Amino acid sequence: MNQLSMKPPIRILHLEDNPRDAAMIRDRLGADGLACEIVLVDERKSFEAALAGAAFDLVLCDYNLPDYDGISAMKLAQEKQPGAPVIMVSGSLSPEDAVACLKQGTTDYLLKQRLEGLTPALKRALDEAEERREHQRAEELLRQAEVKYRSIVDHAVEGIFQTSPDGRYLMVNAAMARILGFASPAELMEKYTDIARQSYVHPEQREEFERRLATDGSLSGFECEYYRKDGTRVWTCESARAVRDEAGRLVC
């Protein structure tokens, strides 16, 4: 069975002390076919109470109020509901005041005499807010993936390292440091900065080591004798591969 899902109405908190202007804005949005649930408040106390309640998709603010000003209202809205864009609507707004609003973080501003631009501004503000949320979600997923990767690398029993295309160490894990006799990855990276030209690679193997890295940036099953920090020797089996970007350029 097919089901049609309808988008819920846009929840708008509207701070406006003039009932006629509030009705004019409501009618404008309705005439433009925008499904809205508008919570109208006309003074500071009720505005603050509304912000403390359920989430809104967008906030409309009159710039001039008897007991409040638009900038203060906008700042409070950003503090209490940072995901909701704020659009300033006023009967009179000087260019200086408009610039001040935008600098303070208002998404847009409109004059009540030009409400034909209200619906496009509202849609644009909502689209931008959704893009920011998508970006934040992507960043959070990336952060979680990095934490997971870091945990796997840090707890691995094999030595793991990452270098730049020119061979500089970008990362070594605790096992790598331990295999080479260092107390920490930081100590190892402080002593050795280049993977190929380090004294812990046996001199007889450095040429082949460098040749393989220079040819295709990879090592596969390469048995290599390392010198540990205390001078003792340890045999390792190296496996490494080059990482390239979409253009084929070597990244690491």
Side-chain angles (χ1 to χ4, degrees):
M1 180 176 63
N2 294 328
Q3 291 183 338
L4 295 176
S5 60
M6 296 180 63
K7 288 186 177 181
I10 301 166
R11 277 182 50 80
I12 298 175
L13 176 59
H14 188 189
L15 176 60
E16 172 60 69
D17 66 326
N18 188 318
R20 188 173 65 85
D21 289 349
M24 184 172 58
I25 288 173
R26 183 194 64 228
D27 293 344
R28 175 78 262 179
L29 295 175
D32 289 340
L34 216 58
C36 300
E37 177 189 333
I38 300 177
V39 175
L40 179 64
V41 293
D42 60 1
E43 44 84 33
R44 178 174 185 166
K45 186 175 181 181
S46 56
F47 180 67
E48 293 175 350
L51 287 173
F56 290 95
D57 298 308
L58 183 132
V59 178
L60 292 176
C61 282
D62 189 358
Y63 187 73
N64 298 300
L65 296 161
D67 68 336
Y68 214 15
D69 66 275
I71 295 292
S72 297
M74 177 204 63
K75 288 182 177 179
L76 183 66
Q78 290 176 330
E79 176 189 340
K80 298 298 183 181
Q81 298 203 19
V86 180
I87 294 178
M88 203 70 67
V89 184
S90 178
S92 60
L93 194 64
S94 69
E96 293 77 16
D97 289 337
V99 170
C101 288
L102 293 175
K103 284 183 176 180
Q104 292 291 335
T106 302
T107 302
D108 210 338
Y109 67 90
L110 292 164
L111 293 176
K112 293 177 180 179
Q113 301 90 325
R114 298 178 181 176
L115 287 182
E116 65 275 4
L118 178 59
T119 296
L122 191 149
K123 290 180 177 179
R124 184 169 56 250
L126 292 174
D127 287 343
E128 291 174 356
E130 180 57 28
E131 287 178 5
R132 286 193 295 272
R133 284 191 290 269
E134 287 292 338
H135 183 68
Q136 290 168 354
R137 283 192 287 266
E139 284 189 334
E140 177 59 20
L141 288 174
L142 179 60
R143 187 195 67 79
Q144 292 176 8
E146 289 176 345
V147 169
K148 185 177 181 180
Y149 167 78
R150 186 76 250 181
S151 178
I152 293 172
V153 169
D154 288 344
H155 293 89
V157 295
E158 300 88 358
I160 300 174
F161 62 88
Q162 185 180 34
T163 70
S164 64
D166 61 359
R168 291 178 296 103
Y169 276 114
L170 301 176
M171 179 276 296
V172 299
N173 71 341
M176 177 83 169
R178 195 163 52 247
I179 289 169
L180 294 177
F182 289 90
S184 68
E187 184 188 7
L188 188 155
M189 293 177 69
E190 182 179 356
K191 183 173 178 61
Y192 298 126
T193 58
D194 187 286
I195 184 173
R197 300 176 179 84
Q198 301 303 331
S199 60
Y200 66 73
V201 179
H202 195 283
E204 295 179 1
Q205 295 175 309
R206 286 181 196 168
E207 183 177 348
E208 175 65 10
F209 194 94
E210 291 185 35
R211 186 191 68 78
R212 290 201 184 193
L213 287 175
T215 300
D216 59 4
S218 66
L219 296 167
S220 180
F222 180 67
E223 293 187 354
C224 183
E225 187 177 9
Y226 280 174
Y227 287 104
R228 304 178 80 244
K229 180 183 177 181
D230 61 6
T232 59
R233 298 180 183 181
V234 58
W235 277 94
T236 66
C237 183
E238 297 278 347
S239 291
R241 67 179 181 86
V243 177
R244 301 181 184 276
D245 61 18
E246 295 179 354
R249 292 184 294 264
L250 193 62
V251 177
C252 61

